[in-house]
Amino acid sequence: MQYIEEKLESKTADYARALKSLQEELEAVSYYQQRAVTATDSELKDIVGHNRDEEIEHACMLIEWLRRNMEGWDERLRTYLFTSAPLTEVESGEGGKAGGSEGDLSIRAIRYSELK
Ligand SMILES: [Fe+2]
């Protein structure tokens, strides 16, 4: 494990492990996706496509761990995930449903308007 700071507390070291693992899973998704698209043998194409989907699952597990454990993830994920609004408009509440419930969107919209 490579750290940019010495003597990290264990919690921060675990964050670094999870983030590095997420990076590795995402790289694997990209590799398998490229192989799935370019493989000429149909069975190999299926295998690497299956592997890509497994790596997506691994990445999702790490994102969920980060959401549960590292400050900053839960709020951002609730804002940006599972919305159909344009992503550049989600944070301001200009888009459609965001934050997992209408209540969250209302609170966010009020806060945004208070900043103006
Ligand atoms: Fe993996």
Side-chain angles (χ1 to χ4, degrees), residues 27-91:
E27 286 173 357
V29 170
S30 179
Y31 296 154
Y32 282 123
Q33 173 63 21
Q34 292 174 50
R35 292 168 190 156
V37 167
T38 57
T40 56
D41 181 273
S42 63
E43 187 173 27
L44 178 60
K45 189 181 277 287
D46 289 346
I47 291 168
V48 292
H50 168 84
N51 292 353
R52 173 205 55 220
D53 295 344
E54 291 286 321
E55 301 302 347
I56 292 171
E57 196 174 300
H58 299 164
C60 289
M61 292 167 70
L62 287 160
I63 291 170
E64 178 60 10
W65 186 89
L66 288 163
R67 186 193 69 78
R68 293 180 187 182
N69 292 282
M70 186 177 176
E71 187 176 329
W73 283 83
D74 184 68
E75 181 182 351
R76 272 70 178 195
L77 290 173
R78 287 179 188 277
T79 299
Y80 286 99
L81 295 186
F82 306 108
T83 176
S84 56
L87 292 171
T88 54
E89 298 173 11
V90 168
E91 191 173 20

Side-chain angles (χ1 to χ4, degrees), residues 89 91-94 108-116:
E89 298 173 11
E91 191 173 20
S92 65
E94 295 169 19
R108 196 172 356 273
I110 291 167
R111 286 183 182 155
Y112 180 74
S113 66
E114 289 172 350
L115 294 174
K116 289 183 173 180

